[in-house]
Every structure is written in C-alpha cells, then in structure tokens.
Amino acid sequence: MPQEIETPAATSAVAYKRVMLKISGEALMGDQGFGLHPPTVERIAKEVKSVHDMGVEICMVIGGGNIFRGLSGAAQGMERTTADYMGMLATVMNALGMQAALESLGVFTRVISAIPMDQVCEPYIRRRAVRHLEKKRVCIFAAGTGNPYFTTDTAATLRANEMACEAIFKGTKVDGVYDKDPVKFDDAKRYDTVSYDDVLAKRLGVMDASAIALARDNSLPIIVFSLDEPGGFRGILAGEGTYTKVGG
C-alpha cells in the first residue's frame, strides 16, 4: 500500500463538504441474485473516488441484504435478535469489500464497526472517526447501530448526525422519490422536493420511519438519486443532476 500523505482539499465549489452515502447491499450484487459482484463494487468505488477527488469528506453505510437480511430470517422462524445480528455481520463483509475496491483506487479507507472485531476493522469511536474524515479518509460504518431492531437506514442517519454530515445521499435504482413505483406505473410523478412529514404520511418508502424522524428532528436533508446513473453522485455535488431532496 502506498504511503498515506495528507493533501489539501480540492478547491472546486461543492454543494456539501461532508456527506453520508447510504446504499443497499443489493446495489453491490449487480445482476446476480446473491453476494458481491466485483465489477459493480468497482464501479461504485469509482463514483465515490470521483467525489472524494473534489475534496468532499465521505462517510458510507452499506446494507447487508445481498448476503443476509434480518427481517427475512425472522420471517422464516428465526429469532429476530439473532437474525438481526447476522445481518449486521453481512454489512461488515460488504464494507470490507468496498474498502478493498476503494484502496485499490488509491483512496484511503477505514471500516468502523459498531460490533468490535479488532482483527478486521476499527471499533466505533466518534472522535477517532471524525479525525479520519478530517484526514480525507473515507469512513465506512458497519454493523448498523450495533443493536437489533434498527435498520441500516437508521444507522446511516445516526452516524451522519454524529459526524456532522451536511446531507445523506441515498443511492437507489431510480432518480428520486415518486408518488408510486415508477417501474410499475408509467404515470408515476417524481418530487423535486418533499417534506419529512409527507414521506411519513404518504409512506413513500425513502427510508424507514425511524430514520426519517431522526433526520427531521436534526434538520438533516436526504438526497435521493440514482446510483446507476454514471457520474450522478458527483454531478449533484457540483450542482447538477436529477434527484429529490427530502427536508423541511
């Protein structure tokens, strides 16, 4: 691994200086039905690097649904707490995969787990994580909140608040929030902006209710965009692109 050197932030104007990128585990499996698809992981890592190169400080939370989803395990008769812990371990596997992809591109990265496993990643210590961000390292927060019954959406919102992120970027398969599923309905309408309360009242499915409420209580905007759109993440930070902003 090359020697790490602190470099000054890029001077290009960006909409946000520190952000949380939340993606699902399913986003990493490409066209496969399970696991990690290395070309897809590499493509997302390149998107992250393009934003990192702008001088933006980046936090990440990745779901674990491509490997194991706690709710589905519970639905099949497994005790819910055990199923959720298994799901948390799946997020650590995804985080390590993304770390490997980012560091192969020269982006220094730390995987920080809410469940201590010192041989493979760091334990979560807020002040240390903030220092990593200040040194322009990408921080991938794994194992959710460390507690069952909380989703990775809630974990992302919690860590975004703790890290003083200016926005959460929620990468999805569509370019924003719609009034109904745009895959199933041709007349679905996309919102440019939508309030937290409308997301909850209309059950728009941006994130789970706990995450939306936590973002609302801390006035943390959520930017919903398409992760499949090449350059979409970078474009939004440069003031371009198509997305929905949840706030207000």
Side-chain angles (χ1 to χ4, degrees):
M1 184 182 294
Q3 184 179 359
E4 184 172 5
I5 301 173
E6 288 192 56
T7 56
T11 56
S12 56
V14 291
Y16 303 101
K17 300 292 178 60
R18 181 180 293 175
V19 301
M20 166 65 72
L21 175 61
K22 168 61 173 70
I23 61 178
S24 67
E26 287 88 347
L28 303 184
M29 65 185 185
D31 295 330
Q32 301 175 149
F34 178 82
L36 293 167
H37 182 237
T40 301
V41 176
E42 182 181 7
R43 176 182 62 79
I44 295 173
K46 287 179 177 177
E47 294 278 338
V48 173
K49 181 181 186 300
S50 72
V51 171
H52 182 267
D53 289 346
M54 299 169 74
V56 177
E57 296 171 3
I58 303 172
C59 304
M60 293 182 70
V61 168
I62 307 171
N66 58 318
I67 298 172
F68 187 88
R69 184 179 294 278
L71 275 175
S72 63
Q76 294 175 29
M78 185 178 295
E79 193 267 328
R80 171 67 187 272
T81 302
T82 299
D84 279 355
Y85 278 122
M86 291 174 67
M88 291 179 217
L89 296 178
T91 71
V92 177
M93 294 172 69
N94 284 338
L96 291 172
M98 181 58 67
Q99 179 186 41
L102 284 167
E103 294 205 330
S104 73
L105 298 173
V107 179
F108 291 95
T109 308
R110 296 293 184 271
V111 173
I112 301 170
S113 173
I115 299 175
M117 46 187 82
D118 296 345
Q119 286 79 2
V120 294
C121 52
E122 294 184 7
Y124 176 67
I125 300 172
R126 189 188 69 83
R127 290 171 64 91
R128 181 187 292 176
V130 169
R131 184 61 179 145
H132 287 322
L133 291 172
E134 291 171 349
K135 290 185 175 182
K136 306 305 176 185
R137 298 164 182 158
V138 172
C139 290
I140 307 177
F141 296 101
T145 66
N147 301 289
Y149 294 93
F150 290 93
T151 67
T152 51
D153 282 345
T154 302
T157 311
L158 173 64
R159 297 294 184 235
N161 281 306
E162 289 180 301
M163 295 296 106
C165 292
E166 297 172 1
I168 298 176
F169 279 69
K170 176 71 183 287
T172 68
K173 293 186 177 296
V174 293
D175 59 355
V177 180
Y178 288 77
D179 59 352
K180 47 190 168 183
D181 190 343
V183 177
K184 297 179 180 178
F185 300 96
D186 292 335
D187 61 342
K189 296 181 179 179
R190 187 181 60 82
Y191 296 94
D192 287 327
T193 60
V194 63
S195 70
Y196 303 111
D197 289 338
D198 280 347
V199 169
L200 292 171
K202 298 177 181 179
R203 299 188 177 185
L204 295 177
V206 177
M207 288 179 159
D208 67 81
S210 297
I212 295 295
L214 185 58
R216 178 191 61 193
D217 293 348
N218 293 278
S219 301
L220 181 66
I222 302 168
I223 309 296
V224 183
F225 72 106
S226 173
L227 197 63
D228 294 333
E229 180 70 27
F233 187 21
R234 179 186 175 93
I236 295 169
L237 283 155
E240 306 165 358
T242 303
Y243 58 92
T244 297
K245 182 177 181 179
V246 180

